[in-house]
mmCIF file of all heavy atoms in Angstrom:
data_model
loop_
_atom_site.group_PDB
_atom_site.id
_atom_site.type_symbol
_atom_site.label_atom_id
_atom_site.label_comp_id
_atom_site.label_asym_id
_atom_site.label_seq_id
_atom_site.Cartn_x
_atom_site.Cartn_y
_atom_site.Cartn_z
ATOM 1 N N PHE A 234 -0.837 -21.310 14.770
ATOM 2 C CA PHE A 234 -2.256 -20.961 14.896
ATOM 3 C C PHE A 234 -3.055 -22.112 15.470
ATOM 4 O O PHE A 234 -3.912 -21.903 16.348
ATOM 5 C CB PHE A 234 -2.848 -20.603 13.535
ATOM 6 C CG PHE A 234 -4.273 -20.168 13.616
ATOM 7 C CD1 PHE A 234 -4.564 -18.845 13.912
ATOM 8 C CD2 PHE A 234 -5.319 -21.055 13.417
ATOM 9 C CE1 PHE A 234 -5.867 -18.414 14.022
ATOM 10 C CE2 PHE A 234 -6.654 -20.652 13.490
ATOM 11 C CZ PHE A 234 -6.918 -19.312 13.781
ATOM 12 N N PRO A 240 -4.026 -17.139 19.050
ATOM 13 C CA PRO A 240 -5.384 -16.740 18.588
ATOM 14 C C PRO A 240 -6.353 -16.453 19.744
ATOM 15 O O PRO A 240 -7.374 -15.811 19.519
ATOM 16 C CB PRO A 240 -5.829 -17.954 17.786
ATOM 17 C CG PRO A 240 -4.573 -18.721 17.446
ATOM 18 C CD PRO A 240 -3.671 -18.480 18.605
ATOM 19 N N ARG A 246 -1.445 -10.440 22.409
ATOM 20 C CA ARG A 246 -1.288 -9.791 21.113
ATOM 21 C C ARG A 246 -1.045 -8.316 21.229
ATOM 22 O O ARG A 246 -0.181 -7.744 20.508
ATOM 23 C CB ARG A 246 -2.579 -10.046 20.261
ATOM 24 C CG ARG A 246 -2.813 -11.575 20.023
ATOM 25 C CD ARG A 246 -3.745 -11.826 18.863
ATOM 26 N NE ARG A 246 -5.061 -11.311 19.047
ATOM 27 C CZ ARG A 246 -6.073 -12.032 19.563
ATOM 28 N NH1 ARG A 246 -5.862 -13.267 19.970
ATOM 29 N NH2 ARG A 246 -7.287 -11.496 19.618
ATOM 30 N N GLN A 300 -12.185 -6.587 20.683
ATOM 31 C CA GLN A 300 -13.004 -7.591 20.106
ATOM 32 C C GLN A 300 -14.049 -8.100 21.039
ATOM 33 O O GLN A 300 -14.012 -9.267 21.558
ATOM 34 C CB GLN A 300 -12.134 -8.775 19.594
ATOM 35 C CG GLN A 300 -11.040 -8.318 18.585
ATOM 36 C CD GLN A 300 -10.124 -9.444 18.238
ATOM 37 O OE1 GLN A 300 -10.515 -10.380 17.551
ATOM 38 N NE2 GLN A 300 -8.897 -9.355 18.704
ATOM 39 N N ALA A 315 -22.520 -13.158 18.814
ATOM 40 C CA ALA A 315 -21.739 -13.034 17.604
ATOM 41 C C ALA A 315 -20.275 -12.915 18.026
ATOM 42 O O ALA A 315 -19.890 -11.941 18.622
ATOM 43 C CB ALA A 315 -22.140 -11.852 16.742
ATOM 44 N N LEU A 316 -19.491 -13.916 17.732
ATOM 45 C CA LEU A 316 -18.092 -13.980 18.154
ATOM 46 C C LEU A 316 -17.147 -13.691 16.997
ATOM 47 O O LEU A 316 -17.347 -14.283 15.957
ATOM 48 C CB LEU A 316 -17.774 -15.357 18.743
ATOM 49 C CG LEU A 316 -18.700 -15.883 19.835
ATOM 50 C CD1 LEU A 316 -18.322 -17.349 20.204
ATOM 51 C CD2 LEU A 316 -18.621 -14.992 21.074
ATOM 52 N N ARG A 317 -16.231 -12.809 17.164
ATOM 53 C CA ARG A 317 -15.252 -12.520 16.156
ATOM 54 C C ARG A 317 -14.044 -13.366 16.415
ATOM 55 O O ARG A 317 -13.419 -13.301 17.484
ATOM 56 C CB ARG A 317 -14.857 -11.050 16.144
ATOM 57 C CG ARG A 317 -16.016 -10.143 15.690
ATOM 58 C CD ARG A 317 -15.542 -8.733 15.355
ATOM 59 N NE ARG A 317 -16.617 -7.934 14.810
ATOM 60 C CZ ARG A 317 -17.010 -7.966 13.501
ATOM 61 N NH1 ARG A 317 -16.340 -8.741 12.666
ATOM 62 N NH2 ARG A 317 -17.983 -7.186 13.074
ATOM 63 N N GLU A 318 -13.657 -14.191 15.445
ATOM 64 C CA GLU A 318 -12.530 -15.134 15.629
ATOM 65 C C GLU A 318 -11.553 -14.886 14.490
ATOM 66 O O GLU A 318 -11.887 -14.578 13.386
ATOM 67 C CB GLU A 318 -13.033 -16.566 15.571
ATOM 68 C CG GLU A 318 -14.010 -16.923 16.694
ATOM 69 C CD GLU A 318 -14.413 -18.370 16.678
ATOM 70 O OE1 GLU A 318 -14.073 -19.048 15.695
ATOM 71 O OE2 GLU A 318 -15.074 -18.802 17.612
ATOM 72 N N PRO A 319 -10.225 -15.111 14.747
ATOM 73 C CA PRO A 319 -9.233 -14.991 13.705
ATOM 74 C C PRO A 319 -9.482 -16.026 12.603
ATOM 75 O O PRO A 319 -9.827 -17.163 12.911
ATOM 76 C CB PRO A 319 -7.911 -15.205 14.415
ATOM 77 C CG PRO A 319 -8.289 -15.935 15.670
ATOM 78 C CD PRO A 319 -9.634 -15.480 16.064
ATOM 79 N N ILE A 320 -9.272 -15.623 11.378
ATOM 80 C CA ILE A 320 -9.599 -16.488 10.263
ATOM 81 C C ILE A 320 -8.614 -17.659 10.089
ATOM 82 O O ILE A 320 -8.915 -18.741 9.613
ATOM 83 C CB ILE A 320 -9.703 -15.719 8.946
ATOM 84 C CG1 ILE A 320 -10.340 -16.532 7.853
ATOM 85 C CG2 ILE A 320 -8.353 -15.164 8.497
ATOM 86 C CD1 ILE A 320 -10.733 -15.739 6.623
ATOM 87 N N GLY A 321 -7.325 -17.426 10.576
ATOM 88 C CA GLY A 321 -6.344 -18.474 10.464
ATOM 89 C C GLY A 321 -4.973 -17.932 10.073
ATOM 90 O O GLY A 321 -4.443 -16.981 10.693
ATOM 91 N N ALA A 346 -5.977 -9.295 15.109
ATOM 92 C CA ALA A 346 -7.140 -10.183 14.994
ATOM 93 C C ALA A 346 -6.866 -11.556 15.551
ATOM 94 O O ALA A 346 -7.786 -12.326 15.841
ATOM 95 C CB ALA A 346 -7.545 -10.291 13.542
ATOM 96 N N GLY A 347 -5.596 -11.946 15.685
ATOM 97 C CA GLY A 347 -5.215 -13.260 16.161
ATOM 98 C C GLY A 347 -4.716 -14.231 15.148
ATOM 99 O O GLY A 347 -4.507 -15.400 15.427
ATOM 100 N N CYS A 348 -4.509 -13.707 13.928
ATOM 101 C CA CYS A 348 -3.968 -14.577 12.877
ATOM 102 C C CYS A 348 -2.448 -14.786 13.093
ATOM 103 O O CYS A 348 -1.795 -13.977 13.706
ATOM 104 C CB CYS A 348 -4.162 -13.948 11.490
ATOM 105 S SG CYS A 348 -5.890 -13.901 10.948
ATOM 106 N N ARG A 425 -10.256 -15.714 1.459
ATOM 107 C CA ARG A 425 -10.557 -14.322 1.706
ATOM 108 C C ARG A 425 -9.464 -13.499 1.073
ATOM 109 O O ARG A 425 -8.284 -13.787 1.221
ATOM 110 C CB ARG A 425 -10.659 -14.067 3.206
ATOM 111 C CG ARG A 425 -10.935 -12.629 3.589
ATOM 112 C CD ARG A 425 -12.399 -12.281 3.606
ATOM 113 N NE ARG A 425 -13.074 -13.100 4.556
ATOM 114 C CZ ARG A 425 -13.168 -12.815 5.902
ATOM 115 N NH1 ARG A 425 -12.548 -11.755 6.396
ATOM 116 N NH2 ARG A 425 -13.854 -13.619 6.690
ATOM 117 N N MET A 646 -9.062 -4.875 10.659
ATOM 118 C CA MET A 646 -9.003 -6.113 11.437
ATOM 119 C C MET A 646 -10.069 -7.086 11.025
ATOM 120 O O MET A 646 -9.832 -8.317 10.997
ATOM 121 C CB MET A 646 -9.143 -5.793 12.923
ATOM 122 C CG MET A 646 -8.833 -6.990 13.818
ATOM 123 S SD MET A 646 -8.587 -6.514 15.554
ATOM 124 C CE MET A 646 -10.261 -5.936 15.977
ATOM 125 N N GLU A 647 -11.223 -6.592 10.577
ATOM 126 C CA GLU A 647 -12.291 -7.467 10.143
ATOM 127 C C GLU A 647 -11.937 -8.257 8.906
ATOM 128 O O GLU A 647 -12.465 -9.377 8.690
ATOM 129 C CB GLU A 647 -13.547 -6.630 9.859
ATOM 130 C CG GLU A 647 -14.127 -6.006 11.113
ATOM 131 C CD GLU A 647 -15.313 -5.078 10.783
ATOM 132 O OE1 GLU A 647 -15.753 -5.090 9.574
ATOM 133 O OE2 GLU A 647 -15.788 -4.415 11.693
ATOM 134 N N PHE A 649 -9.404 -9.925 8.570
ATOM 135 C CA PHE A 649 -8.681 -11.144 9.062
ATOM 136 C C PHE A 649 -9.535 -11.887 10.101
ATOM 137 O O PHE A 649 -8.950 -12.678 10.832
ATOM 138 C CB PHE A 649 -7.369 -10.668 9.693
ATOM 139 C CG PHE A 649 -6.431 -10.006 8.723
ATOM 140 C CD1 PHE A 649 -6.379 -8.638 8.671
ATOM 141 C CD2 PHE A 649 -5.660 -10.712 7.848
ATOM 142 C CE1 PHE A 649 -5.517 -7.974 7.761
ATOM 143 C CE2 PHE A 649 -4.802 -10.089 6.980
ATOM 144 C CZ PHE A 649 -4.735 -8.715 6.895
ATOM 145 N N GLN A 650 -10.843 -11.708 10.079
ATOM 146 C CA GLN A 650 -11.693 -12.350 11.078
ATOM 147 C C GLN A 650 -12.865 -13.062 10.409
ATOM 148 O O GLN A 650 -13.340 -12.670 9.344
ATOM 149 C CB GLN A 650 -12.227 -11.351 12.078
ATOM 150 C CG GLN A 650 -11.216 -10.719 12.989
ATOM 151 C CD GLN A 650 -11.810 -9.676 13.893
ATOM 152 O OE1 GLN A 650 -12.595 -8.815 13.446
ATOM 153 N NE2 GLN A 650 -11.441 -9.716 15.159
ATOM 154 N N GLU A 651 -13.342 -14.083 11.064
ATOM 155 C CA GLU A 651 -14.632 -14.697 10.793
ATOM 156 C C GLU A 651 -15.591 -14.311 11.897
ATOM 157 O O GLU A 651 -15.159 -14.019 13.061
ATOM 158 C CB GLU A 651 -14.509 -16.246 10.730
ATOM 159 C CG GLU A 651 -13.664 -16.758 9.574
ATOM 160 C CD GLU A 651 -14.433 -16.708 8.234
ATOM 161 O OE1 GLU A 651 -15.433 -16.031 8.145
ATOM 162 O OE2 GLU A 651 -14.005 -17.465 7.353
ATOM 163 N N VAL A 652 -16.873 -14.324 11.625
ATOM 164 C CA VAL A 652 -17.903 -14.117 12.632
ATOM 165 C C VAL A 652 -18.664 -15.397 12.871
ATOM 166 O O VAL A 652 -19.231 -15.944 11.892
ATOM 167 C CB VAL A 652 -18.850 -12.948 12.236
ATOM 168 C CG1 VAL A 652 -19.924 -12.758 13.282
ATOM 169 C CG2 VAL A 652 -18.081 -11.666 12.007
ATOM 170 N N LYS A 653 -18.651 -15.843 14.087
ATOM 171 C CA LYS A 653 -19.359 -17.050 14.450
ATOM 172 C C LYS A 653 -20.591 -16.717 15.290
ATOM 173 O O LYS A 653 -20.448 -15.999 16.296
ATOM 174 C CB LYS A 653 -18.484 -18.024 15.240
ATOM 175 C CG LYS A 653 -19.173 -19.319 15.728
ATOM 176 C CD LYS A 653 -18.219 -20.139 16.537
ATOM 177 C CE LYS A 653 -17.139 -20.743 15.652
ATOM 178 N NZ LYS A 653 -16.197 -21.603 16.448
ATOM 179 N N THR A 654 -21.768 -17.188 14.906
ATOM 180 C CA THR A 654 -22.956 -17.009 15.736
ATOM 181 C C THR A 654 -23.195 -18.194 16.573
ATOM 182 O O THR A 654 -23.211 -19.334 16.092
ATOM 183 C CB THR A 654 -24.201 -16.763 14.808
ATOM 184 O OG1 THR A 654 -23.959 -15.573 14.059
ATOM 185 C CG2 THR A 654 -25.442 -16.597 15.661
#
Side-chain angles (χ1 to χ4, degrees):
F234 184 83
R246 301 200 293 269
Q300 302 175 69
L316 307 174
R317 293 194 175 277
E318 299 182 352
I320 194 170
C348 290
R425 176 87 60 84
M646 190 166 66
E647 294 176 6
F649 299 96
Q650 292 177 317
E651 293 282 20
V652 178
K653 177 183 290 180
T654 298

